[in-house]
């Protein structure tokens, strides 16, 4: 999830914050999430070498914002459930584990089986919101222009802690890993490639890319489904590129999480 620093939500007000800069962080008192400050900037969104739904490349300017350093974990989601806000997990397993949610061994693994509505409800409880698609891609790029992945153009590796590390279909186990199992990108963010697909705020626009604005775009006003980003443990490296876009129906629940 993300949050705007102007004005910040009460629970997320940095104190003191005379001059926020790249590298500034804060911790949410509600779920314990560490958030990174992303300064305002302009970038080229999309990829001319990708699929048609990643085109056209267009210039986007964003105000500064906060974004979660990791995907929301099982333990964090449990706090929202305990508060009586988030829906109970109807599926407590993962792809290869019969016990996933509610098992202490997987407390620091990304929550899955959440719909877009579930993710939005969590963000409202945490006094944040889902990032826009533009915020997500800008943050995922980590300050690198024209790179395919959050770390650059090198192919991903399964090696834990690796700078170009990610959990994808060549890795073992054939399932999720704890958040922050690999090195962060240039903005201090983890798992912007692989592990689980992540919901963002925007509607998916009829199967192709139609940029809505050049300044803080919010995406189309309606659609059939919402955008997911980042690829997952079950995808090939090409699906982990920062410009890749996928769609999930609002009620869709699978190996999809969020930040």
């Amino acid at each position: 999830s993300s949050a705007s620093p102007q004005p910040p939500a009460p629970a997320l007000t940095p104190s003191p914050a005379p001059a926020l800069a790249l590298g500034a962080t804060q911790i949410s008192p509600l779920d314990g999430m560490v958030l990174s400050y992303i300064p305002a900037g302009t970038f080229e969104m999309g990829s001319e070498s990708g699929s048609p739904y990643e085109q056209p490349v267009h210039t986007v300017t964003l105000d500064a914002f906060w974004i979660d350093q990791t995907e929301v974990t099982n333990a964090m989601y449990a706090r929202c459930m305990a508060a009586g806000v988030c829906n109970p997990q109807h599926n407590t397993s993962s792809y290869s584990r019969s016990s996933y949610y509610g098992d202490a061994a997987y407390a620091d693994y990304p929550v899955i089986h959440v719909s877009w509505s579930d993710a939005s409800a969590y963000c409202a409880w945490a006094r944040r919101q889902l990032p826009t698609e533009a915020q997500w891609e800008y943050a995922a790029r980590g300050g690198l222009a024209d790179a395919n992945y959050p770390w650059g153009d090198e192919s991903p590796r399964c090696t834990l802690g690796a700078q170009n590390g990610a959990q994808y279909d060549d890795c073992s186990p054939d399932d999720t890993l704890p958040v922050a199992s690999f090195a962060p990108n240039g903005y201090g963010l983890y798992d912007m490639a692989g592990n689980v697909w992540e919901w963002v705020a925007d509607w998916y626009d009829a199967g192709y890319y139609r940029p809505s604005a050049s300044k803080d775009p919010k995406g189309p006003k309606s659609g059939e489904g919402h955008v997911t980003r980042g690829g997952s443990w079950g995808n090939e490296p090409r699906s982990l590129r920062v410009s890749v876009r996928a769609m999930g129906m609002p009620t869709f629940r699978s190996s999809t999480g969020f930040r």
Side-chain angles (χ1 to χ4, degrees):
S1 51
S2 68
S4 169
Q6 296 294 333
L12 298 177
T13 304
S15 180
L20 295 178
L22 183 64
T25 62
Q26 59 178 306
I27 300 175
S28 166
L30 292 172
D31 62 1
M33 175 64 77
V34 179
L35 291 93
S36 287
Y37 178 78
I38 311 298
T42 299
F43 77 112
E44 297 300 304
M45 186 172 178
S47 172
E48 293 295 355
S49 62
S51 301
Y53 57 78
E54 301 171 47
Q55 302 170 13
V57 171
H58 53 288
T59 302
V60 172
T61 299
L62 296 173
D63 289 332
F65 60 97
W66 295 91
I67 192 167
D68 296 358
Q69 282 193 349
T70 72
E71 294 153 343
V72 171
T73 66
N74 284 328
M76 293 175 183
Y77 195 81
R79 292 193 188 188
C80 184
M81 285 178 54
V85 175
C86 288
N87 289 324
Q89 282 282 24
H90 299 292
N91 187 345
T92 59
S93 64
S94 66
Y95 181 74
S96 65
R97 304 162 182 132
S98 59
S99 176
Y100 182 72
Y101 181 79
D103 187 328
Y106 303 111
D108 292 330
Y109 286 62
V111 67
I112 57 175
H113 303 309
V114 288
S115 69
W116 186 89
S117 297
D118 293 333
S120 296
Y122 179 96
C123 291
W125 166 77
R127 300 181 188 176
R128 305 197 292 276
Q129 59 271 330
L130 288 172
T132 66
E133 187 174 15
Q135 287 175 331
W136 192 98
E137 185 171 323
Y138 181 60
R141 291 182 176 277
L144 299 178
D146 302 321
N148 284 319
Y149 299 102
W151 54 80
D153 289 325
E154 302 90 350
S155 296
R157 299 169 55 199
C158 299
T159 307
L160 298 180
Q163 187 63 48
N164 60 330
Q167 183 69 355
Y168 63 105
D169 67 353
D170 283 350
C171 303
S172 180
D174 192 19
D175 209 325
T176 59
L177 280 184
V179 299
S181 289
F182 305 98
N185 72 359
Y187 288 162
L189 309 177
Y190 298 87
D191 299 314
M192 299 302 285
N195 216 15
V196 295
W197 285 98
E198 299 179 14
W199 290 112
V200 297
D202 301 41
W203 288 101
Y204 191 88
D205 191 5
Y208 64 96
Y209 220 161
R210 184 164 54 197
S212 60
S214 60
K215 177 68 164 62
D216 290 316
K218 307 298 184 186
K221 294 182 179 180
S222 63
E224 292 187 3
H226 288 278
V227 177
T228 59
R229 287 296 201 119
S232 77
W233 57 267
N235 292 114
E236 74 287 352
R238 180 173 175 79
S239 295
L240 274 59
R241 294 178 298 109
V242 292
S243 56
V244 168
R245 312 167 70 229
M247 184 192 81
M249 301 302 286
T251 57
F252 178 74
R253 289 184 175 90
S254 186
S255 296
T256 305
F258 64 101
R259 74 175 70 220

